[in-house]
Amino acid sequence: MARKVLMMLIAASLLMGCSFNEAVGTVVAGVQVIHLGGKVMCQDCTKSYGEWTHGSQPIKGGKVSVTCKDDRSRIIYYASDESDEEGNFNMAVNKYINGKELQPKSCLVRLVSSTHLTCKIPTNFAGGITGINLPVKPTVLYRDLVKYQLGTFFYTIPRCAKPAASDTYDSFDCDTNNNY
């Protein structure tokens, strides 16, 4: 009976695309690249609510970066990618850097720049400005593919941008001759 169960376990693991060791709980190393993906969009607050929430336009050439650190908080990896005409970006990150295994949770993804003529102000929706750490578990885990599908990062137009806290207008900007 035990032999029959063992044979069924091996057959099931082969059909599911994993090794026998994975089926009983031991992970077999083999994945060399981690894939990251997401979208870069423009959100215009001057539109009606429906258009604003559902009418975002993709930004072609929007740059997104990934920065990974080691266990001593030193940067060990940096890369960037530009979004395609549909706003999608996809990056491949080597899992091993200088002989050490990269910990995905130590990687931060954020907006860098926009090529759009007017939609150039980054927003912090989905962590676009501050960055977002990769989740503990990947979104897709299939055979040799490990992919983290991130949310959508947004840029906006200058009219929609919230002024920075340091922008105060309590004093006049004037030259030494009091020319206003």
Side-chain angles (χ1 to χ4, degrees):
M1 177 71 179
R3 184 178 173 153
K4 209 179 233 187
V5 170
L6 182 60
M7 292 303 288
M8 288 181 68
L9 184 60
I10 292 171
S13 69
L14 290 173
L15 288 173
M16 292 175 26
C18 61
S19 71
F20 174 71
N21 289 335
E22 287 179 78
V24 294
T26 305
V27 177
V28 176
V31 175
Q32 300 294 319
V33 177
I34 300 169
H35 297 270
L36 313 174
K39 287 184 95 68
V40 179
M41 306 287 277
C42 176
Q43 200 165 41
D44 185 350
C45 70
T46 63
K47 306 288 184 189
S48 68
Y49 182 75
E51 289 177 297
W52 181 71
T53 56
H54 301 292
S56 301
Q57 299 296 317
I59 296 178
K60 180 181 178 181
K63 191 180 274 191
V64 178
S65 72
V66 59
T67 306
C68 301
K69 296 182 179 184
D70 65 8
D71 56 351
R72 292 172 43 188
S73 296
R74 297 178 298 187
I75 295 174
I76 58 171
Y77 185 83
Y78 176 87
S80 63
D81 187 43
E82 292 183 357
S83 57
D84 62 15
E85 54 276 341
E86 295 176 359
N88 296 314
F89 67 88
N90 292 294
M91 288 188 260
V93 178
N94 291 329
K95 188 168 182 175
Y96 295 94
I97 307 293
N98 299 326
K100 292 187 177 182
E101 185 175 353
L102 183 74
Q103 298 300 317
K105 65 183 179 185
S106 71
C107 295
L108 189 75
V109 180
R110 70 178 114 206
L111 290 170
V112 176
S113 63
S114 171
T115 57
H116 195 277
L117 294 175
T118 58
C119 203
K120 293 181 172 264
I121 311 293
T123 71
N124 210 29
F125 293 139
I129 296 173
T130 58
I132 183 170
N133 287 94
L134 296 182
V136 175
K137 294 185 178 184
T139 310
V140 177
L141 184 58
Y142 180 72
R143 296 187 183 198
D144 290 338
L145 176 65
V146 175
K147 184 168 185 173
Y148 293 87
Q149 188 64 37
L150 305 171
T152 303
F153 294 124
F154 292 96
Y155 282 95
T156 192
I157 62 174
R159 183 174 177 185
C160 301
K162 181 179 176 183
S166 63
D167 293 344
T168 58
Y169 301 100
D170 293 338
S171 60
F172 291 107
D173 288 331
C174 56
D175 62 15
T176 56
N177 297 327
N178 291 331
N179 294 324
Y180 300 104

